[in-house]
Amino acid sequence: RDLAKTFAKVHKFCCESPPQESASPGSGSAALAHAHDVRSEVQRLVAQGDCARKCLRLGLHSAGVSTGDLAEAKAMLHPLTVQFPSISAGSLHCLVAAVAAETLGARGVVARSRSSRPASVEVGPQSNASQLRAAFYQAGLTDRDLVAVAGVLLPARPLDSKLFQELCQSKEALQPLEKALTTDPDFLRYVKLFAGDVKCWQHDFGRAVTKILGDPGQPPLAPSQPYKYIRQLLRQLITEQDCGATLVLLGVPGAQAGVRADQARRLLAPLQERYAGRVTEVQLQSLAAATAAEMLGAVSVPWLPSHPGVPRGAKLEGARNVAELRKAG
């Protein structure tokens, strides 16, 4: 009875009170209209010429991936900064990058404002595989993310899934970045994947851009219990890359050498770069092995941050019999 009376009072108040107009674009319908105006202007801008590539370069720069001189791109946005002075430069850069990605077919892009990171080594058409990884890993991006947005760094190539079809068919002399995409085995498998599956590229492109603009799936480590966040990221990595059997090797004595063990360390490199000040390499590898084992169906694997990890030992790959396995450790 009391609840019904309370709702009746609320209803009467709402019906009798005149609507309040917002004096500034900060809340309510006025804020929605303001946001709609901004997005409409950004969409009009992005539709012109090669603006989408320039806008995405601004997004990469905000994540700490330097892509060269951005003076032209910033000058292109100057009219918008004048028209909408209440929007910060960082927020505008993230918004134009998100809209640019959407116009190219990216799916699930979430536009958010993030604080800019210091730019790493500059990357572009002349960058090799190691330079690309150094820049993108520092920004918390994986090889798959790197390949998905590679078109942003290749002005002479299409900025969509056609890029990967061209790379698979091209027989002409390639630039260093193009050569890295077609010769590095970890890059090449995603080039082939995106060349044959446009929807997969659209999904991965959208996910990569969302990470660049500030991915809620990559939370900052809390002062206490930071490892639970890393476990979440490891589970996501194992699901996306189907690499559980590879990461388990990092917890097997004697399996720390070999091609697959090296591949496992490369898979963990983005996380290691991102959380270098909080988690040691040994801790990350042992946690990855425990998480992978659980996802492969093992019972809950006990793990402590003080776990010493597994030292690298003799190579197990290629052992032909039980005696060689025992000898290897």
Side-chain angles (χ1 to χ4, degrees), residues 220-230 278 305:
L221 289 183
S224 61
Q225 297 183 324
Y227 303 102
K228 67 178 182 180
Y229 295 111
I230 298 182
R278 305 292 302 280

Side-chain angles (χ1 to χ4, degrees), residues 62-323:
S62 71
V65 179
S66 177
T67 60
D69 186 12
L70 298 174
E72 185 179 354
K74 292 179 179 178
M76 176 185 71
L77 295 183
H78 181 67
L80 292 181
T81 61
V82 174
Q83 186 176 356
F84 303 105
S86 62
I87 300 180
S88 67
S91 296
L92 184 60
H93 292 176
C94 289
L95 177 59
V96 297
V99 172
E102 290 171 353
T103 61
L104 294 169
R107 298 185 177 185
V109 179
V110 180
R112 356 174 54 87
S113 178
R114 73 177 301 163
S115 56
S116 296
R117 296 179 179 178
S120 61
V121 59
E122 183 177 322
V123 292
Q126 302 303 313
S127 301
N128 57 35
S130 60
Q131 292 170 332
L132 290 168
R133 286 193 170 99
F136 279 79
Y137 284 8
Q138 179 268 341
L141 301 172
T142 64
D143 286 351
R144 188 165 185 156
D145 300 327
L146 188 162
V147 176
V149 301
V152 178
L153 306 175
L154 294 169
R157 294 283 190 176
L159 189 51
D160 55 25
S161 61
K162 295 178 182 177
L163 163 68
F164 308 105
Q165 298 170 6
E166 288 188 3
L167 290 176
C168 289
Q169 299 169 1
S170 180
K171 297 181 180 179
E172 60 188 26
L174 300 176
Q175 299 184 81
L177 191 155
E178 296 170 335
K179 188 175 181 181
L181 293 175
T182 54
T183 57
D184 185 288
D186 291 324
F187 290 163
L188 181 58
R189 66 175 178 145
Y190 297 123
V191 170
K192 292 180 177 178
L193 174 64
F194 297 150
D197 192 336
V198 175
K199 290 184 178 180
C200 179
W201 172 76
Q202 290 174 333
H203 178 270
D204 283 16
F205 183 48
R207 183 176 59 195
V209 172
T210 297
K211 285 185 180 181
I212 289 168
L213 302 183
D215 183 9
Q218 299 279 345
L221 289 183
S224 61
Q225 297 183 324
Y227 303 102
K228 67 178 182 180
Y229 295 111
I230 298 182
R231 271 191 182 271
Q232 294 176 6
L233 301 181
L234 287 169
R235 291 190 185 101
Q236 179 182 341
L237 173 68
I238 293 166
T239 301
E240 293 176 358
Q241 306 284 349
D242 192 21
C243 58
T246 300
L247 293 181
V248 162
L249 289 176
L250 297 176
V252 178
Q256 303 303 296
V259 176
R260 293 188 68 192
D262 290 339
Q263 181 185 0
R265 281 185 280 273
R266 284 198 300 272
L267 287 168
L268 295 180
L271 289 178
Q272 187 62 58
E273 289 280 345
R274 190 181 186 90
Y275 300 124
R278 305 292 302 280
V279 181
T280 68
E281 181 180 8
V282 171
Q283 288 173 334
L284 180 61
Q285 289 182 7
S286 61
L287 179 58
T291 304
E294 291 176 358
M295 293 188 68
L296 289 171
V299 295
S300 181
V301 179
W303 182 87
L304 294 172
S306 58
H307 190 286
V310 179
R312 298 190 187 188
K315 184 177 178 181
L316 283 183
E317 291 184 28
R320 293 168 293 182
N321 52 48
V322 174

